Amino acid sequence: MILAAETNEGLATLSNELVYASMAVYTLAFLAHIAEWVFGSRSKVGRTAAALTGTAAEPARVTVQVKQAGGTTVLDRPKVVTRSASGARDVPDGPGAAGGTVKGDLYGRIAVSLTVLAFALEAAGVTTRAISVQRAPWGNMYEFSTTFSTVAVGVYLAFLLAKKNVRWIGLPLVTTVLLDLGLATTWLYTESDQLVPALDSYWLWIHVSTAIFCGAVFYLGAVATLLYLFRDSYETKLANGGQPGAFARSVLERLPSAASLDKFSYRVNAAVFPLWTFTIIAGAIWAGDAWGRYWGWDAKEVWSFITWVGYAAYLHARATAGWKGRKAAYIALIAFGCFLFNYYGVNIFVNSKHSYAGV
């Protein structure tokens, strides 16, 4: 027994060291992403793409020098095939964070490689924590936070592996992961311990794991939604003949078009919404087993339902005339805000039957 306890304590220490090591590598990935955006800002490709956009009043045109007769022929802008929704502006996607430059792309690839390494270290830390306590590694807020950031990065890397153009998420994702892990290791850290009886159930694996996965995907959708709002304002200003500032031209012109960002956020939110519905149902079943009632209007239950209503309203708004675009985007961000409050606010500031291990 003493040897087993010492082994578990050693594994818990190793888990902490792996998490700290992942934070160090994530910091390097953060710096590499910064370099990617800095060197990408010198790209001519992005400025060319913006020039092709044109304005609503005067569509852009492409001038081609023709050697025959020494004349100049002005051609109409060729049709750009984008993922824009019906009725959206015909705007091409930007060249990405690297801006089409070789050096920017090199730093972007380095950033992704470092993110993969950091993900492996953090995943090893989460796994080691699970082995040390011999249960699911999400019995308190510290464990939930480390697992959540691991899954979020894993989903992002899965998109890259599927050849999706999502490297623009890299910088905000790595920044958020560093903040999440910093908060987890300083304010939320809890020594590894066994679960209270109410949590000692196989439903811990089912209910909480799906909640973590849903939250990770909701996060990616929220990032895309926020960037959509900025990019949409940028495109609107261009269409109205305005001149965005140098920073906006440097950064926003490299993002996917507003229509592409809007479609991405909609697709990921719509895809994971049924799983969030299952999460609430699974929680109700677990509550019936643990407390003898399926629904008791506990704070966590209420805010989980509010989050569900928020995303249901967003999906409905997307299908309603007059609510597409920015109005629907605001609803999506409010829904994600409800998810965050359900996790941090309820666990820390509200008395709830779901509060365990202090946090």
Side-chain angles (χ1 to χ4, degrees):
M1 294 292 293
I2 296 177
L3 180 60
E6 292 178 349
T7 300
N8 291 338
E9 183 178 351
L11 288 172
T13 302
L14 176 60
S15 172
N16 296 339
E17 293 174 349
L18 288 169
V19 170
Y20 281 114
S22 71
M23 292 176 66
V25 180
Y26 277 129
T27 301
L28 295 177
F30 169 80
L31 295 175
H33 272 302
I34 291 292
E36 176 188 19
W37 281 93
V38 168
F39 287 105
S41 68
R42 303 176 182 178
S43 170
K44 294 181 181 179
V45 177
R47 289 191 291 272
T48 302
L52 286 172
T53 301
T55 65
E58 183 180 356
R61 303 171 76 86
V62 178
T63 300
V64 179
Q65 297 292 334
V66 181
K67 294 182 179 179
Q68 294 180 354
T72 300
T73 302
V74 178
L75 301 178
D76 288 333
R77 175 168 56 103
K79 180 174 180 168
V80 180
V81 179
T82 68
R83 296 168 296 192
S84 302
S86 176
R89 287 186 294 265
D90 185 18
V91 178
D93 289 341
T101 63
V102 175
K103 185 171 288 188
D105 183 65
L106 173 62
Y107 279 108
R109 292 177 182 275
I110 292 174
V112 172
S113 299
L114 289 170
T115 302
V116 171
L117 176 58
F119 166 76
L121 289 171
E122 188 180 8
V126 171
T127 304
T128 306
R129 176 87 171 196
I131 296 174
S132 70
V133 294
Q134 299 180 359
R135 57 168 173 78
W138 42 73
N140 51 59
M141 285 187 68
Y142 166 76
E143 295 174 353
F144 188 100
S145 295
T146 54
T147 306
F148 174 83
S149 58
T150 303
V151 174
V153 175
V155 173
Y156 163 70
L157 294 177
F159 276 117
L160 290 179
L161 191 62
K163 306 298 182 182
K164 302 298 182 181
N165 179 25
V166 294
R167 208 162 78 186
W168 44 271
I169 298 180
L171 180 57
L173 173 65
V174 171
T175 303
T176 305
V177 167
L178 282 171
L179 292 173
D180 176 69
L181 291 178
L183 181 64
T185 55
T186 53
W187 293 347
L188 302 179
Y189 181 75
T190 305
E191 294 290 343
S192 59
D193 199 357
Q194 295 305 309
L195 298 171
V196 296
L199 286 180
D200 191 10
S201 169
Y202 62 90
W203 282 106
L204 179 67
W205 291 93
I206 301 172
H207 171 65
V208 183
S209 63
T210 53
I212 291 173
F213 179 78
C214 289
V217 178
F218 282 149
Y219 164 77
L220 296 181
V223 172
T225 300
L226 186 62
L227 293 179
Y228 156 76
L229 292 173
F230 286 111
R231 173 76 187 200
D232 183 65
S233 296
Y234 172 77
E235 292 179 6
T236 301
K237 192 168 187 177
L238 285 177
N240 293 332
Q243 293 295 326
F247 179 80
R249 292 198 305 270
S250 174
V251 174
L252 297 179
E253 74 179 12
R254 284 181 277 165
L255 293 174
S257 67
S260 295
L261 290 169
D262 186 44
K263 184 172 290 187
F264 175 83
S265 61
Y266 169 70
R267 285 180 173 178
V268 296
N269 287 330
V272 81
F273 179 73
L275 193 59
W276 181 251
T277 304
F278 169 78
T279 301
I280 297 177
I281 295 173
I285 296 174
W286 188 8
D289 291 343
W291 301 319
R293 53 63 169 176
Y294 294 103
W295 192 267
W297 298 103
D298 180 72
K300 181 72 69 172
E301 297 168 345
V302 170
W303 278 97
S304 295
F305 179 67
I306 291 175
T307 302
W308 184 92
V309 171
Y311 278 106
Y314 163 71
L315 297 177
H316 178 71
R318 288 278 311 193
T320 303
W323 279 89
K324 296 180 180 180
R326 298 183 69 88
K327 291 181 180 179
Y330 291 137
I331 296 175
L333 291 179
I334 292 173
F336 184 69
C338 292
F339 175 87
L340 289 180
F341 181 80
N342 185 34
Y343 173 55
Y344 287 106
V346 172
N347 283 10
I348 296 175
F349 302 112
V350 180
N351 290 327
S352 168
K353 296 189 71 173
H354 288 74
S355 299
Y356 300 103
V359 288

